[in-house]
Amino acid sequence: MEPTTRDSACFEAGIKFGALYHQFAGTPVNPESAASLETAIEESIENQPFCESVEVEILTDKLADAIDHGYTELTGKFMEVEIVVEQEGTKVVTKMEMEDGYPMMKIESVTK
């Protein structure tokens, strides 16, 4: 069976989340550098094929609480992310949020 456009668009969204998380997890960050890191992440992932938009919010209040020596490392607990992929008229909206202490990446909607 051939993959559908829907299948491919969902796969593309997963690829983008994998790249985002594993490329940027561990990056040194503090509340003052959070905005520039958000922009860097968004612009980096938006370069990939079929990526319509990326919105990254680094949760600076949680970040500030975790800092004990000037910075901390970026992890999923400090980010909320939305990635929108559009491929051949199929739009996939995905999000990453913490769920039971783990950064869960999930499909919010698929529309044609």
Side-chain angles (χ1 to χ4, degrees):
M1 180 186 288
E2 290 287 318
T4 66
T5 300
R6 177 188 175 104
D7 296 336
S8 294
C10 289
F11 178 79
E12 284 294 333
I15 292 297
K16 280 136 191 61
F17 260 119
L20 183 150
Y21 195 86
H22 293 291
Q23 181 176 352
F24 291 98
T27 300
V29 64
N30 64 31
E32 292 76 34
S33 66
S36 64
L37 184 55
E38 288 171 347
T39 300
I41 294 169
E42 291 168 353
E43 290 179 357
S44 173
I45 302 305
E46 285 174 348
N47 284 322
Q48 295 183 35
F50 310 112
C51 193
E52 184 174 290
S53 66
V54 179
E55 293 181 24
V56 176
E57 180 183 359
I58 296 177
L59 308 172
T60 54
D61 55 335
K62 290 184 179 182
L63 198 64
D65 290 342
I67 292 174
D68 61 1
H69 53 275
Y71 75 97
T72 192
E73 294 179 1
L74 187 65
T75 67
K77 68 182 173 184
F78 301 124
M79 289 189 289
E80 290 181 355
V81 180
E82 179 181 276
I83 297 175
V84 179
V85 167
E86 195 279 322
Q87 186 175 4
E88 297 178 31
T90 298
K91 183 182 270 189
V92 179
V93 178
T94 58
K95 290 192 176 186
M96 180 183 79
E97 299 173 325
M98 291 301 288
E99 189 174 300
D100 297 325
Y102 187 80
M104 293 297 294
M105 300 157 199
K106 54 189 166 188
I107 296 171
E108 290 287 306
S109 66
V110 180
T111 56
K112 179 95 173 144

